[in-house]
Structure formats: C-alpha cells, structure tokens
Amino acid sequence: MVHTLTGTADLKTDVDDVARLLTADGERIADHDLDPWVADIDVQALRDLYRDMVVLRRIDAEGMALQRQGQVGLWAPCQGQEATQIGTARAMRADDFAFPSYRETGVTYARGAKPEGYIRAWRGEAHSSYDPNEIGAAIPQIIIGAQTLHAVGYAMGIQRDGTDQVVATWFGDGATSQGDVNEAMVFAASYHAPVVFVCSNNQYAISEPVGVQATAPIAGRAPGFGIPSMRVDGNDVLAVTAAMRWALDHARSGKGPAFIEAVTYRMGPHTTSDDPTRYRSPGELDAWRGRDPLTRVEAYLRSQGAFDDEFAAVVAAASDEMAAAVRSTCLAMTTAPALSILDDVYAEPHAGLDEERTWFSAYLDGFQDESAEVAR
Ligand SMILES: Cc1ncc(C[n+]2csc(CCOP(=O)(O)OP(=O)(O)O)c2C)c(N)n1
Ligand SMILES: [Mg+2]
C-alpha cells in the first residue's frame, strides 16, 4: 500500500502529503490505515516515547558538544529525526535485528546501547562501540546504503533458520540513489525476505536537496520492486509507530519486505564537518521547527492533562543523567593501542592479518625515535 498521493504537482516538495496521526499542533487526527496499529498506545505509552525522544535529543546534543570540545572526531546529529528513530526502533521485538546508518543514534539507544555505545567509535577508539549480538543491532554503517544489503542477507538467514524474527534497516533519501539499496530491494522482494526498509527522508544528502534526486515520492519506488510501502510523517512518533508495526507484521507473517518513507528534517548540519547555512535558508529551518517531533507530543499530552511540571522534571532528570554518563564515559576512555585496530576484524586469525600486523608494527616502530609515546 502506498499512502494515497493527492495531486501530481510538485510532489517532491510536498512534505505534508503523508500519513499522520498527530498534527504539528498536537491534534490527534484519524487515519484509516494507521489507527488500528496504535489502538493500544495510551497516554502512558506516549509519555514513554516522549521521554525517549527527549533523552535522545540530549545524547545528540552531548555528542555535538564533545566533538566541538575535541573529545570525539566527528558526530552526525539526528536532531529533528527523533520520532522516526524512536518510533521505528521501539516497535521492534528484542530478538529482531537492526542495521542502522551513522545517523541512527536513536535506534542504537532504543536497542539498549550503554553510554559508551554512542561515543566510542566516534572518538576513534574502536571499529565498534558495542557488541552487535548483545543489543541486536549491527554497528552503524558509514558506507551509504551498504547496510541494506547486510540486512537482506541477515533476513535470508532468518528464513533459513525458520524463526519469525524480522530485520529492519535505516538509510537516507540520498541512499536510495545508491545501487546497493536498489539491489537490496531486488533480493528482498525475490526471496520474500523478512526485512523492513526505513528511508529517513531528512530532505538532504549532505547539501543536495532531496528533490534533485527524487522527482516523485521515494515511497513510490518500492512497489516497482514488488514491495508495499507507506509514506508517513516522520516527525509524528505515533504515525511512525503505526507504520512500523504494519511493516513488521507484514514481514513477520511471511509476506516479505515492506518499505517506509519517513518524511522528516535534519535540523543540524550533516555532520560536525558541515556548515548548512551555505545551502539552506533560515526560513526553511524555522518552518521545520514548527513541525518539531517533541513539541507536538507535549502539546497533545497537555491537552490530555498528562503533561505537568512533575513529568517534565522526571524527563529532564533522565536526560541530565544520560548526558552526564555519556560525557564521563567519553572522558574516561583511554587511547587504545594502535595495533588493536586489527583486533575483532575477523573471527579467526589468518595469514593476511598477520602480515598486516607485522607491517603496521614495523611502521609504528619507525616513530619510536621521534616519540616514545606512540602506543602500540
Ligand atoms: C558509498 C558512499 N558514497 C559517498 C559517501 C559520502 N557520504 C556520506 S553521507 C552522504 C549523504 C547521504 O545522504 P542520505 O542518504 O540522505 O543520508 P543522511 O546523511 O541525510 O542521513 C554521502 C554522499 C559515503 N559515505 N559512502
Ligand atoms: Mg538525507
């Protein structure tokens, strides 16, 4: 199913042509397709999702600050995309498996990563910040779209194991132009693999606006591969939850892959190396501030008498605590020996790896005269 597209003019910029349950002002509206999937989400469940989004925003702010203070090498912020990340990841089962991109800090958080899980790799201390098997999430992928192929391969493995687990993979609007993503969809559709594709359409691939590479809604591509899709308001955590539950159920019940285009916005820079003021206007940013995923939930909860000072204080304390843990864990990290970069690349040692270790070790020895401090 593709959410009904109204009209044909300028679809690429019509960010309001989406399925939605909570308006930007926090009004609950009906949607025939989505409503049944969130019938059980009461005010308490929505408060939990809200708290997750606030904590995520705080982890993200802390990551940005730590980069600016020289404590981590790079950070890819997710401010503005909290509803997409929390709504999709929280809809998964603990034994499902996630294949996120570099921007999905919220997916990593929702899967259960500890504070060091957000920061270790960005600090350059290790390839991976956590054990993927412990939290059911692969390490964030930097190669655009590659994780979609890994996800489909994993899903085909699930099929052969005969379990009812599902895989989900997250990627950006720009990634949909990449061969990997299209090849992943061909394989997923051909094998009816239990995989959910989540396209976080945050309007930009670095500085390139989505309209340059998608002249029609991205959700419309999936049916061409034989994959049903839904275009949803990615800043509406309720709608995202509903769409993800639909997609997971589709995949879990043996009907094959499903695709979600979550229409959202990257409020910050592409990464800490980017200056978005060079390619987008303050007016555009303001317009999206008005669609903030957090404020609409707060407004709705207030309208239900479920948001008071006490709740706000509990949420603030939870995010302060998380921010402090992320910061202190980061600052306590000791620099790993350079040679450890070759650990954990392969499950078993082999001759090629031994050769690289010998070469790298000799290379590091070359610095001994200049600085005895090079850690091996
Ligand atoms: C294969 C590959 N090509 C190019 C890059 C450089 N690169 C990093 S992020 C990015 C844009 C990705 O945009 P999008 O898929 O929309 O994801 P977003 O960053 O917006 O979340 C590019 C081109 C890369 N990492 N990998
Ligand atoms: Mg993008």
Side-chain angles (χ1 to χ4, degrees):
M1 131 182 57
V2 180
H3 183 69
T4 315
L5 301 172
T6 52
T8 51
D10 205 16
L11 277 176
K12 62 181 186 251
T13 56
D14 190 354
V15 295
D16 283 319
D17 192 8
V18 287
R20 176 179 290 144
L21 292 174
L22 275 182
T23 68
D25 297 330
E27 188 194 339
R28 177 73 165 88
I29 53 173
D31 182 284
H32 182 262
D33 291 330
L34 295 183
D35 275 327
W37 295 102
V38 286
D40 63 315
I41 304 256
D42 56 12
V43 156
Q44 185 51 50
L46 208 48
R47 276 161 59 120
D48 290 345
L49 291 168
Y50 176 81
R51 191 195 53 229
D52 278 347
M53 292 195 293
V54 173
V55 171
L56 171 57
R57 185 163 288 188
R58 192 59 187 279
I59 294 170
D60 194 53
E62 204 61 31
M64 287 293 281
L66 285 165
Q67 195 282 335
R68 297 304 190 216
Q69 292 161 11
Q71 295 296 336
V72 301
L74 184 76
W75 188 259
C78 64
Q79 187 192 353
Q81 299 180 216
E82 294 89 350
T84 294
Q85 298 189 5
I86 295 298
T88 49
R90 281 285 181 232
M92 294 172 77
R93 241 170 43 186
D95 65 340
D96 291 337
F97 208 93
F99 284 86
S101 89
Y102 45 85
R103 204 176 297 288
E104 269 84 33
T105 307
V107 172
T108 310
Y109 162 71
R111 297 300 291 167
K114 306 270 182 328
E116 63 267 29
Y118 315 119
I119 219 92
R120 188 189 301 281
W122 293 112
R123 193 175 153 92
E125 298 296 355
H127 292 299
S128 173
S129 296
Y130 49 81
D131 179 348
N133 289 321
E134 253 170 41
I135 65 167
I139 61 172
Q141 181 57 254
I142 302 276
I143 302 168
I144 302 299
Q147 71 277 19
T148 60
L149 287 168
H150 307 158
V152 174
Y154 196 102
M156 290 166 66
I158 287 174
Q159 281 181 311
R160 280 148 188 78
D161 288 344
T163 74
D164 71 344
Q165 291 160 293
V166 172
V167 175
T169 181
W170 290 255
F171 50 92
D173 44 291
T176 60
S177 295
Q178 198 76 14
D180 281 8
V181 176
N182 292 275
E183 289 155 22
M185 287 201 274
V186 169
F187 268 78
S190 301
Y191 284 90
H192 305 287
V195 54
V196 174
F197 294 94
V198 180
C199 175
S200 300
N201 177 0
N202 64 4
Q203 310 302 315
Y204 285 94
I206 310 184
S207 57
E208 181 183 276
V210 61
V212 175
Q213 52 98 21
T215 55
I218 290 169
R221 297 184 191 182
F225 292 93
I227 302 176
S229 72
M230 195 179 273
R231 188 170 203 248
V232 72
D233 183 343
N235 285 11
D236 172 358
V237 73
L238 203 53
V240 171
T241 300
M244 189 66 173
R245 284 178 168 187
W246 159 75
L248 288 165
D249 179 75
H250 182 90
R252 207 180 303 286
S253 55
K255 297 186 195 131
F259 186 105
I260 296 170
E261 177 190 358
V263 179
T264 180
Y265 193 73
R266 192 197 75 214
M267 305 291 288
H270 170 70
T271 66
T272 42
S273 303
D274 174 45
D275 173 10
T277 63
R278 296 180 63 177
Y279 56 83
R280 66 183 191 189
S281 68
E284 180 184 302
L285 195 57
D286 280 347
W288 280 95
R289 277 206 184 94
R291 301 187 183 103
D292 191 289
L294 275 58
T295 50
R296 74 179 66 187
V297 179
E298 179 180 336
Y300 174 72
L301 288 173
R302 279 192 194 283
S303 76
Q304 302 300 302
F307 195 106
D308 53 17
D309 290 350
E310 195 189 330
F311 176 60
V314 168
V315 171
S319 38
D320 284 350
E321 198 182 308
M322 177 59 89
V326 167
R327 172 164 292 270
S328 60
T329 309
C330 176
L331 297 184
M333 280 178 194
T334 49
T335 300
L339 275 173
S340 72
I341 199 77
L342 297 172
D343 295 347
D344 302 326
V345 179
Y346 296 93
E348 303 287 338
H350 63 77
L353 204 57
D354 292 344
E355 205 177 303
E356 282 194 50
R357 188 172 281 108
T358 304
W359 179 89
F360 192 33
S361 183
Y363 174 78
L364 292 171
D365 282 345
F367 293 93
Q368 296 283 318
D369 293 342
E370 294 159 35
S371 162
E373 286 177 17
V374 176
R376 304 176 71 246

